[in-house]
Amino acid sequence: MPEGQPVTLPRLIAGAGLRWPVEESFEFGKDLFGLDQSQVRLYEALLRHLVLVMAALAICAVSAAAARHRTDTQAPPPVRPGQQPPADTGMIPMTVAEIKRLFIAATMSPPSLLNAAHWSIWRRRHQARARWFHKRARLALA
């Protein structure tokens, strides 16, 4: 806070809220990319690990953001609690985790890329369908 300015409750809340996205991003990097899984003793080795993990996360995040509009085929959300689901609920957009799975499948030899693409489509369709039904159930509660 700048010196001489009063500290009001809204300013304190805004300042505390700025930390949340950073914490979320760090947790995401730890969970999905193994940011906290290095067992090194030297600073240089730790720095290399951190830079590689953050670069991989950045590449996947940029790829997911670029593919978001092209891969989001979800049906419109329900408007009534008893509404029947559409024949095709579509697919959720590509996520960072999905980009990572496909990249690993493309660079590893045992499972085929075709198999990984099939599972990616199935998983995203299933998530879109589950999301649609979840929204319909929440409408019934309202």
Side-chain angles (χ1 to χ4, degrees), residues 1 9-20:
M1 299 272 169
L9 184 60
R11 288 187 90 174
L12 283 175
I13 292 171
L18 291 176
R19 183 174 173 171
W20 186 253

Side-chain angles (χ1 to χ4, degrees), residues 36-69:
D36 60 346
Q37 294 180 5
S38 72
Q39 296 181 359
V40 296
R41 297 170 192 248
L42 299 174
Y43 175 76
E44 243 181 72
L46 177 65
L47 190 60
R48 285 182 190 139
H49 175 74
L50 289 175
V51 167
L52 285 174
V53 168
M54 296 308 287
L57 175 58
I59 289 168
C60 289
V62 167
S63 299
R68 180 170 190 77
H69 296 296

